[in-house]
Amino acid sequence: MMPGRTPIIEIKSLRTQFILREGTVTALDGIDLTIYENESLGIVGETGCGKSMTAFSVLRLVPSPGIIEGGNIFFKEPKEVRNRRLRYVADAQAWYERQTLEKRRELFATYGPRPRGRKGRVWRYARDEIKKMVPPDEAPHRLIMAHLSLIAKEIPDSDTVGKDAALCAFDLLNRSHDYMRGVRGKQISMIFQDPSTSLDPVFTVGFQLGEVISLHQNIYDEAALRKKILDVLRLVRIAAPESVTKQYPHELSGGMKQRVMIALALSCNPSLLIADEPTTALDVTIQAQVLRLLKDLVKGVGSSMMLITHNLGIVAETCDRVCIMYAGRIVEEAGTLELFGKPMHPYTQGLLTAFPKLGEQKEELSVIRGTVPNLMNPFPGCSFVDRCDFATDQCRRARPKMAEVAPGHLVACHLYPSGGEKDNA
Amino acid sequence: MADLISYIVRKLLLAIPVVLLATFIVFLMLHLTQGDPALALVPPRHTIADVEEVREKYGLNDPLYTQYGLFLWRLLHGDMGTSVSTFTSVSSLVFQKLPMTLELMAIGLTISYSIGIPLGILSALRQNSVTDRGVMVFTLVAYAMPSFWLGILLMLLFAVKLHWLPLGGAVGGFASIILPTVTLGLGNSALTTRMMRSSMLEVMRMDYITQLRSRGLPEREVIFKHGLKNAILPVITVIGLDIGWFVGGAVVVETIFSWPGIGRLVYESILRDDFPVVQGCILILAMFVVAGNLIADVLYAIADPRVRLG
Amino acid sequence: MMFRKRLNNLMLSWKSSGGFKQTALEIVSRGSRNPMVALGTTIIIVMVALAILAPVLPIADPTLSVIDVEERLLPPSGRHWFGTDNVGQDVFSRVIWGTRVSLTVASLAIFFSLMIGVTLGLMAGYFGGVADYIIAGTIDLFWTFPAFLLALAFAAALGSSLVNVILAISVSYWAGFGRLMRGQALAIRERQFIEASRALGAKNWRIMFTHVLPNCIAPLTVWASVGVADAITIESSLSFLGAGTPPSTPSWGNMLNLGMQYIGEAWWVVTFPGVILLITVLGFNLLGDGLRDVLDPRMKGMRR
């Protein structure tokens, strides 16, 4: 939490799972993430670590058979509402800490993360399993939510902030589908990886742009709409916007298509732009151009950006802060310079050394041994344990909590204990 | 627009070899018959002089390519020979019956697509549900059912047992057209449904559909404005093949329901050994197929802008 | 000496590319788990058994063409399960004997179709260039033409006999196989071309033969199965129109043609042959469709 800065989006304990016949895959395992105004956050990780799933979860576009199992996504929450919510969260936490050990075990068993098995069936813990549990210090997320919803019913009308008096009113996961449609494309937009498959091939570029603009900005006058379309195409530095509007996606080059995508995404001045590997499918020469464009525009429009990539080089150039993800969990979070200068988590260190740098002399490329773990079976400890050179017994038993090792620099690793651990059954 | 026109011209040019192939096959038919080809072209009661006359007229003593040339030349002048049973010109017979068959095919096609497309979309949107499985079973059975048997069954049920609809012929006004067109339409609808379903399923999985959702478009628009327009493309491609199927089906259905079209003419001529008429009918039916394919290609180019370049 | 070495190399490459046995086993194991394949195969086995066993079954022999006026047009009963037709023959026996006709005609027709199509397709792929252009053009022409119409043209010209029907269908249906083989041949040729450019001629041909064919077994089986279904339909349609099997032979199409005349009085003559026809065609369709689902990833783009 950074004092003095307004968060645009605050993700808490987000869990996204895929319910398959064989079992349940946990794509996101309790993510905590915050993006502030006018900031670019990079999310880095290997394929399959859940980066794209974070983006889809925010927009609530998780494809079936995926579901968002739990958590909050607070979007543009006014300060007063937030402060009040935090007060009640603190109350709930305090109440939790006053309970006896047995009571806390029960609470954890009931309100802790629900393990799911085949076809999404929810498991219940057996009596003896509960007796062996070590409940965490922090109140389980769902318990806090239950507490909040109870309170919300009792808030007197005078103690309101605008019409949205409920405590979790700004939680996107609570909102209706219609509301989400208003958010998508207008307040939060997304750019996909491959521009060739992201545009509808049977409609012209102009048509698709016009669709989005008229939908969100209610401009139906032909002339005004056309003007807006041309403006936005000029914004992304497309040289001959009039002819491009009449063209079909297959007639454009990769770089042009990606610019059109960016135009689409920024046409309604969103507060948050999510870019999922925006340059991976492009030629190296075009990559630099597009990245620069992205960076300039985002600053110009005043949006925040969530840039998802596996390429640390891009992150170094474009992002203010970086988040490293592994197996559905966030393992490190810091400002860009800080992260590159002083990586703390063994995974981050491994990533940085694996990246060959200019001027460096190497005999072999260093790799991180092992492969990404199977996300189907819930694993009590740290997910990196099989590939970590510093692993201990503790790493196998307990999942590390995020600890602040320097201002604004958080790591989830037992090497940097925060004075407390989270034990999962 | 210009690229669309050049595309149409290209397709027209490509259709010419197909037309030539059809004429060649029809021409060849004469020489596949057993015995003396001249005998196929004379009426049942004939004299040796008649046979010789025919031999001269059609140049049957000349080499094959001369005969074929003669054949094509006659065709270009609209002469398809003379019927050996009615002694009228084949072309007049054929063109008289042409509108009836056209009517049948047009309505049949409409029925087929009116059933097939919505059913296919419904099935795709509710994949693996009870509706979907039901539709799949229906298409399997409808596809396996030969069109003539379906016609017979419908006739049995509606004309014989229930007496709701006439047994056949074209005189009953609206009622008489129902059974033949429904037979044709139902038979082909299975194919259309399957095609539509698989195409829709594939389209809905595409990246741009998710992208459209992420832009905030209402689901209704995503499915029907964008999804449908893309999904219908393979179905349009298949229109040409469908028309081919229909032409074959028309022959059979017209026979069953005594519908006075070209199909029925073919059947009767086969029975009567009236060879010139059989030739003429097959040729015209082949032209139907070619025309149908052309129309399908043009429709496809209108719908899918990617095709016009290549 | 050189030849033996080359042969050795070819055998090794054949084994490594899978070969017939591996593909066949794979198909069987995956297929047996699919309900459509199971049902289709059962139906086919039953029909084939009936066809083969027809002479020894305790049913009347329609080839003896006995006309029994007393037994004319009897409705289905204990003695005549499917009733009798207009000349007094037992419809049930005729239907069973009709199985022989339909299955024989269809399988032979598809077999020949396959031969023609595979040969032409491989040739197009192997020769390339002008030859490919011509063959591909021919394949396309025959492909856009409805097979039934072509078969009708040929059958009408050739006259009504079993051999002629088989011939007519073979010549009309081969385009599908041709397209398939040509596509595969071209794809392989693209890949092997660089290597083979050093050793032209025989080696190229052998490589295509040993690599292309095993890969094609799967889609060819699907097409063949569906093809038999189509061939049965075409044959019965032709017979129905009088251009197929001769009237003396008990074929389903013929029976339906005859039955049409008595549709008012004897519904059983047109119904039962049609039902059996439907089931048989359905069986082959199920097998083909089921197999296609089993082998799905490799068969995108097959029109159905």
Side-chain angles (χ1 to χ4, degrees):
Chain A
M1 212 38 252
M2 290 187 149
R5 300 188 58 180
T6 338
I8 283 286
I9 188 164
E10 206 177 330
I11 303 177
K12 284 235 166 310
S13 295
L14 185 64
R15 298 191 98 221
T16 302
Q17 292 177 324
F18 282 84
I19 305 199
L20 306 170
R21 209 162 19 129
E22 302 83 23
T24 306
V25 174
T26 307
L28 295 177
D29 196 359
I31 303 271
D32 287 313
L33 195 62
T34 311
I35 305 183
Y36 298 92
E37 262 181 21
N38 285 328
E39 164 187 76
S40 294
L41 175 74
I43 301 189
V44 181
E46 286 168 288
T47 319
C49 71
K51 342 190 268 288
S52 297
M53 241 355 101
T54 315
F56 286 126
S57 303
V58 166
L59 282 172
R60 282 175 65 183
L61 283 177
V62 179
S64 138
I67 54 160
I68 300 180
E69 218 266 343
N72 303 106
I73 301 175
F74 294 108
F75 182 62
K76 283 190 179 169
E77 203 181 20
K79 225 192 295 198
E80 302 84 11
V81 178
R82 185 169 184 277
N83 290 337
R84 195 183 48 180
R85 173 171 61 84
L86 289 178
R87 255 188 287 132
Y88 289 117
V89 169
D91 281 347
Q93 175 71 22
W95 177 84
Y96 177 74
E97 280 165 7
R98 287 199 297 269
Q99 307 304 308
T100 62
L101 186 60
E102 291 85 43
K103 185 69 179 157
R104 273 197 276 166
R105 281 197 183 127
E106 297 270 332
L107 287 172
F108 183 71
T110 327
Y111 290 101
R114 279 177 295 199
R116 285 179 191 259
R118 294 163 154 253
K119 289 198 178 149
R121 292 203 198 93
V122 180
W123 288 341
R124 290 217 315 237
Y125 292 107
R127 284 269 135 222
D128 38 353
E129 268 183 312
I130 301 182
K131 289 212 179 75
K132 281 188 266 176
M133 279 187 200
V134 178
D137 284 341
E138 216 170 282
H141 180 79
R142 284 174 49 230
L143 175 61
I144 299 184
M145 296 306 301
H147 183 74
L148 289 179
S149 58
L150 274 175
I151 304 253
K153 295 198 182 102
E154 297 163 14
I155 293 181
D157 276 339
S158 59
D159 189 12
T160 56
V161 182
K163 266 202 304 183
D164 297 343
L167 287 163
C168 295
F170 291 86
D171 182 358
L172 287 179
L173 297 178
N174 270 345
R175 295 291 202 169
S176 66
H177 285 297
D178 280 340
Y179 182 81
M180 281 313 296
R181 270 199 294 112
V183 167
R184 290 181 203 135
K186 184 158 199 248
Q187 302 188 59
I188 308 180
S189 15
M190 186 161 166
I191 308 177
F192 286 23
Q193 177 173 331
D194 189 354
S196 331
T197 55
S198 301
L199 289 164
D200 190 335
V202 296
F203 288 101
T204 58
V205 165
F207 182 90
Q208 297 190 52
L209 274 166
E211 214 178 16
V212 177
I213 295 177
S214 65
L215 177 71
H216 288 301
Q217 298 183 26
N218 285 322
I219 301 176
Y220 294 109
D221 173 41
E222 280 264 357
L225 192 62
R226 207 194 322 258
K227 180 174 178 308
K228 262 242 107 190
I229 295 175
L230 292 175
D231 282 342
V232 100
L233 282 175
R234 272 186 219 111
L235 194 65
V236 292
R237 301 179 194 159
I238 286 182
E242 290 87 5
S243 55
V244 168
T245 28
K246 295 200 196 80
Q247 287 182 304
Y248 288 94
H250 65 279
E251 296 175 289
L252 302 171
S253 71
M256 291 271 275
K257 278 189 280 221
Q258 196 61 303
R259 284 170 202 267
V260 170
M261 293 301 299
I262 297 176
L264 269 166
L266 292 175
S267 60
C268 303
N269 295 336
S271 315
L272 175 65
L273 172 68
I274 305 178
D276 190 351
E277 312 252 17
T279 54
T280 313
L282 301 174
D283 283 338
V284 185
T285 46
I286 311 285
Q287 276 187 19
Q289 275 181 35
V290 172
L291 272 178
R292 211 175 316 136
L293 176 68
L294 209 49
K295 191 170 170 183
D296 292 341
L297 285 180
V298 167
K299 284 273 186 286
V301 168
S303 319
S304 307
M305 176 161 70
M306 185 197 286
L307 180 63
I308 300 174
T309 179
H310 58 268
N311 185 334
L312 284 164
I314 294 181
V315 166
E317 267 196 43
T318 332
C319 300
D320 303 318
R321 272 171 58 231
V322 189
C323 226
I324 313 278
M325 270 185 82
Y326 185 77
R329 301 175 183 171
I330 299 194
V331 296
E332 189 163 359
E333 186 184 328
T336 316
L337 286 173
E338 170 88 4
L339 189 95
F340 278 81
K342 279 198 291 196
M344 300 290 206
H345 197 279
Y347 180 56
T348 321
Q349 290 166 350
L351 279 179
L352 284 168
T353 32
F355 220 71
K357 298 177 196 54
L358 272 177
E360 206 179 33
Q361 291 239 358
K362 272 194 172 174
E363 298 287 310
E364 293 178 5
L365 287 175
S366 58
V367 295
I368 307 176
R369 61 180 164 84
T371 53
V372 191
N374 181 340
L375 296 173
M376 201 173 292
N377 305 308
F379 188 68
C382 172
S383 37
F384 193 58
V385 74
D386 288 324
R387 305 172 74 182
C388 184
D389 292 329
F390 307 97
T392 64
D393 260 341
Q394 191 191 39
C395 299
R396 236 169 256 285
R397 268 188 300 122
R399 178 177 164 177
K401 252 173 62 175
M402 288 286 260
E404 192 160 6
V405 291
H409 190 156
L410 299 134
V411 196
C413 181
H414 287 299
L415 291 171
Y416 315 97
S418 63
E421 38 190 67
K422 204 164 157 181
D423 224 291
N424 287 359
Chain B
M1 204 54 213
D3 51 356
L4 185 60
I5 296 185
S6 77
Y7 178 82
I8 297 180
V9 169
R10 251 182 294 138
K11 284 290 165 180
L12 271 168
L13 288 175
L14 282 174
I16 295 179
V18 187
V19 171
L20 281 175
L21 175 72
T23 56
F24 188 65
I25 290 181
V26 172
F27 166 71
L28 217 54
M29 277 172 68
L30 181 61
H31 294 269
L32 290 173
T33 56
Q34 287 152 349
D36 189 355
L39 287 175
L41 297 171
V42 290
R45 291 154 162 256
H46 56 269
T47 63
I48 307 246
D50 290 332
V51 175
E52 284 310 315
E53 195 184 315
V54 157
R55 231 190 274 276
E56 271 305 311
K57 184 172 175 210
Y58 289 100
L60 292 174
N61 290 321
D62 297 331
L64 221 54
Y65 53 85
T66 327
Q67 291 185 43
Y68 183 51
L70 206 58
F71 180 72
L72 280 179
W73 180 248
R74 287 209 149 84
L75 270 184
L76 281 169
H77 288 153
D79 176 14
M80 290 198 268
T82 322
S83 155
V84 298
S85 47
T86 64
F87 301 103
T88 49
S89 105
V90 172
S91 26
S92 68
L93 261 180
V94 161
F95 283 110
Q96 193 184 49
K97 310 269 184 176
L98 191 61
M100 302 302 283
T101 307
L102 273 173
E103 194 183 337
L104 206 63
M105 280 180 45
I107 302 184
L109 267 169
T110 317
I111 295 182
S112 167
Y113 286 121
S114 314
I115 298 179
I117 293 181
L119 215 54
I121 298 176
L122 184 69
S123 195
L125 292 177
R126 300 202 203 294
Q127 193 184 10
N128 288 331
S129 69
V130 177
T131 324
D132 184 27
R133 293 204 199 269
V135 169
M136 290 308 281
V137 168
F138 160 71
T139 56
L140 263 170
V141 173
Y143 186 77
M145 203 180 284
S147 52
F148 65 94
W149 193 60
L150 177 63
I152 295 180
L153 268 187
L154 287 176
M155 178 191 262
L156 193 61
L157 182 60
F158 288 103
V160 175
K161 293 290 176 184
L162 293 176
H163 295 293
W164 283 355
L165 295 167
L167 265 172
V171 289
F174 176 66
S176 61
I177 207 175
I178 294 184
L179 277 180
T181 48
V182 168
T183 310
L184 275 177
L186 265 184
N188 189 250
S189 69
L191 223 56
T192 314
T193 310
R194 284 175 142 216
M195 199 71 215
M196 190 70 215
R197 176 182 180 270
S198 72
S199 170
M200 194 77 185
L201 281 176
E202 221 178 286
V203 164
M204 294 308 279
R205 279 200 296 241
M206 297 255 103
D207 271 351
Y208 56 84
I209 296 287
T210 324
Q211 237 291 323
L212 288 163
R213 286 193 189 115
S214 83
R215 293 180 213 162
L217 255 70
E219 190 68 10
R220 199 185 358 107
E221 262 185 52
V222 173
I223 297 178
F224 289 103
K225 192 161 125 194
H226 290 265
L228 189 54
K229 189 152 190 252
N230 277 281
I232 206 128
L233 296 175
V235 177
I236 297 184
T237 324
V238 161
I239 290 185
L241 284 164
D242 273 353
I243 291 187
W245 186 96
F246 261 87
V247 166
V251 174
V252 166
V253 165
E254 285 183 11
T255 311
I256 300 178
F257 291 100
S258 311
W259 184 262
I262 300 194
R264 182 121 199 279
L265 191 58
V266 173
Y267 172 63
E268 289 173 343
S269 318
I270 293 180
L271 276 184
R272 293 194 294 231
D273 278 331
D274 193 344
F275 197 75
V277 180
V278 175
Q279 267 190 315
C281 289
I282 301 243
L283 191 61
I284 287 297
L285 289 175
M287 295 303 119
F288 263 8
V289 174
V290 174
N293 276 314
L294 256 178
I295 297 179
D297 281 338
V298 170
L299 278 176
Y300 188 71
I302 295 180
D304 185 356
R306 290 169 286 185
V307 164
R308 300 178 205 164
L309 293 178
Chain C
M1 196 54 62
M2 274 287 281
F3 183 72
R4 193 167 297 179
K5 191 163 142 196
R6 275 200 204 157
L7 199 58
N8 231 12
N9 286 341
L10 281 170
M11 296 297 273
L12 281 172
S13 65
W14 196 67
K15 282 223 182 73
S16 68
S17 78
F20 293 101
K21 220 197 298 179
Q22 198 163 328
T23 337
L25 275 174
E26 198 182 315
I27 296 178
V28 169
S29 74
R30 304 227 318 243
S32 50
R33 271 178 256 151
N34 183 307
M36 292 214 289
V37 173
L39 185 58
T41 323
T42 320
I43 296 179
I44 296 175
I45 294 181
V46 167
M47 288 298 156
V48 171
L50 282 175
I52 298 181
L53 296 173
V56 300
L57 286 176
I59 53 177
D61 185 351
T63 59
L64 299 177
S65 42
V66 172
I67 300 182
D68 198 339
V69 185
E70 310 233 322
E71 304 264 294
R72 273 187 101 229
L73 295 177
L74 293 176
S77 63
R79 224 164 27 111
H80 298 286
W81 290 354
F82 286 173
T84 58
D85 65 6
N86 59 314
V87 294
Q89 299 220 302
D90 178 27
V91 174
F92 184 68
S93 335
R94 293 203 93 212
V95 167
I96 304 251
W97 279 77
T99 318
R100 291 167 72 94
V101 175
S102 291
L103 284 179
T104 322
V105 169
S107 1
L108 281 176
I110 292 298
F111 176 71
F112 289 124
S113 258
L114 226 155
M115 290 294 120
I116 301 175
V118 166
T119 316
L120 282 177
L122 274 179
M123 274 169 60
Y126 165 55
F127 285 114
V130 176
D132 176 30
Y133 190 69
I134 298 179
I135 298 183
T138 320
I139 293 182
D140 267 345
L141 290 177
F142 274 86
W143 170 248
T144 47
F145 231 83
F148 176 63
L149 210 58
L150 267 180
L152 182 63
F154 284 117
L158 291 168
S160 154
S161 87
L162 274 183
V163 172
N164 291 338
V165 178
I166 296 178
L167 215 59
I169 300 181
S170 316
V171 175
S172 317
Y173 202 77
W174 62 272
F177 297 113
R179 266 179 133 214
L180 182 64
M181 289 311 294
R182 179 175 170 271
Q184 294 278 21
L186 282 181
I188 295 281
R189 195 161 166 274
E190 291 287 299
R191 296 207 312 247
Q192 305 289 81
F193 189 61
I194 321 264
E195 289 176 55
S197 64
R198 270 184 294 136
L200 307 161
K203 193 167 183 191
N204 213 1
W205 165 247
R206 290 290 180 84
I207 287 179
M208 286 220 323
F209 196 73
T210 55
H211 280 270
V212 174
L213 271 188
N215 281 330
C216 291
I217 299 284
L220 276 179
T221 318
V222 174
W223 267 96
S225 183
V226 166
V228 172
D230 280 344
I232 297 179
T233 311
I234 296 180
E235 179 270 315
S236 44
S237 306
L238 285 177
S239 306
F240 180 75
L241 291 176
T245 51
S248 52
T249 326
S251 104
W252 296 328
N254 278 344
M255 292 169 66
L256 286 165
N257 186 336
L258 271 174
M260 276 282 296
Q261 299 170 18
Y262 300 96
I263 195 171
E265 318 143 47
W267 59 269
W268 51 92
V269 189
V270 292
T271 316
F272 292 111
V275 171
I276 300 297
L277 176 57
L278 171 63
I279 294 180
T280 316
V281 172
L282 192 60
F284 281 98
N285 273 336
L286 279 173
L287 179 62
D289 271 358
L291 278 181
R292 181 160 28 99
D293 282 345
V294 163
L295 305 161
D296 192 86
R298 303 184 227 163
M299 307 222 303
K300 295 208 96 170
M302 242 178 57
R303 190 255 155 173
R304 209 358 205 186

